[in-house]
Amino acid sequence: MLMVLMQFINFDVKMRYFVNRLADYISGQPVQVDAARCTQYVVRTVDVIRTRMPPTAENCDGGLYVGCAGVGYALYRLASVEQLSASRDRLLAAATEYVDVALQYATGRRGRDPTTAFLLGPAGALVVGSLVFDAVGRSAPAAELRKQYAAMASAVCKPGDFLGCGSDEYFVGRAGYLCGSLVLNAAYKQQVILAGHMDIFYIFS
């Protein structure tokens, strides 16, 4: 009945799926991955991103989620992939460009999100900046960024509704800050953000 009605009103029905042309997986058999082809695809995709979303202040809004900080983090992660080792220096150089502009945007407070916001705000840029700067040998500014991030704990982990709409969610609240802390602790294999900096009772009460 629905199809008849749509045909009557000349409704354009578009497919919401794609045809899978790949062979079905057979249990027990190894999966063949064309590493060279995948590498070429990744490199081309990076070039497209850099062309369509250059490291400018206009592209910083959205932080780690959809902004320059997120592109910088993606490039940083790609630089650690063994199959992309030949492009490591180029990827890290590009990551630095995105991180530099993201940090300038964050410190200029042009964004609309709280300073402590991890995914959408300045806090995420601090985390990514630390990782990228250390990867390119800029250890002093990387350490300073971690120090700034740790200093936010006293503000974000106290009881209260500092957002005015709930302060415990992932994009701009406490959960995001905790995630950033875990990222740093895992990357440096030590307690970068010490437990003493965060009152866990208040966070989860």
Side-chain angles (χ1 to χ4, degrees):
M1 180 65 181
L2 179 60
M3 293 299 297
V4 173
L5 178 61
M6 287 190 292
Q7 290 174 5
F8 177 74
I9 62 176
N10 195 28
F11 190 84
D12 184 17
V13 181
K14 295 183 179 180
M15 292 192 305
R16 296 292 298 266
Y17 62 90
F18 63 92
V19 177
N20 181 10
R21 296 183 174 85
L22 301 177
D24 290 337
Y25 170 69
I26 300 176
S27 179
Q29 291 189 3
V31 177
Q32 300 297 324
V33 177
D34 190 340
R37 182 179 179 184
C38 290
T39 299
Q40 292 172 1
Y41 178 79
V42 169
V43 171
R44 287 198 305 269
T45 302
V46 167
D47 290 338
V48 170
I49 292 172
R50 297 204 65 196
T51 299
R52 297 183 180 180
M53 187 177 173
T56 63
E58 291 73 22
N59 290 326
C60 285
D61 187 34
L64 270 175
Y65 193 48
V66 293
C68 284
V71 176
Y73 183 65
L75 294 169
Y76 162 78
R77 291 301 302 267
L78 288 174
S80 66
V81 176
E82 181 181 353
Q83 289 81 359
L84 296 172
S85 58
S87 301
R88 182 178 186 275
D89 291 344
R90 186 171 73 93
L91 290 169
L92 287 177
T96 303
E97 293 179 23
Y98 281 91
V99 164
D100 282 339
V101 71
L103 288 171
Q104 292 172 12
Y105 183 87
T107 55
R109 296 302 297 124
R110 293 178 56 183
R112 61 183 180 273
D113 298 299
T115 303
T116 52
F118 176 63
L119 275 187
L120 290 178
L126 297 180
V127 172
V128 177
S130 176
L131 298 175
V132 172
F133 285 172
D134 260 326
V136 297
R138 296 167 60 180
S139 57
E144 176 59 28
L145 292 177
R146 293 194 297 277
K147 181 179 178 181
Q148 292 178 31
Y149 190 83
M152 293 178 176
S154 61
V156 74
C157 297
K158 293 298 181 183
D161 186 6
F162 61 86
L163 294 178
C165 57
S167 302
D168 296 322
E169 56 91 51
Y170 191 51
F171 284 86
V172 294
R174 295 184 180 99
Y177 184 83
L178 284 175
C179 179
S181 303
L182 292 174
V183 169
L184 289 174
N185 288 347
Y188 292 99
K189 296 181 173 57
Q190 59 179 313
Q191 290 293 107
V192 176
I193 310 298
L194 300 175
H197 289 158
M198 297 185 290
D199 193 324
I200 303 299
F201 172 78
Y202 282 138
I203 293 174
F204 293 105
S205 62

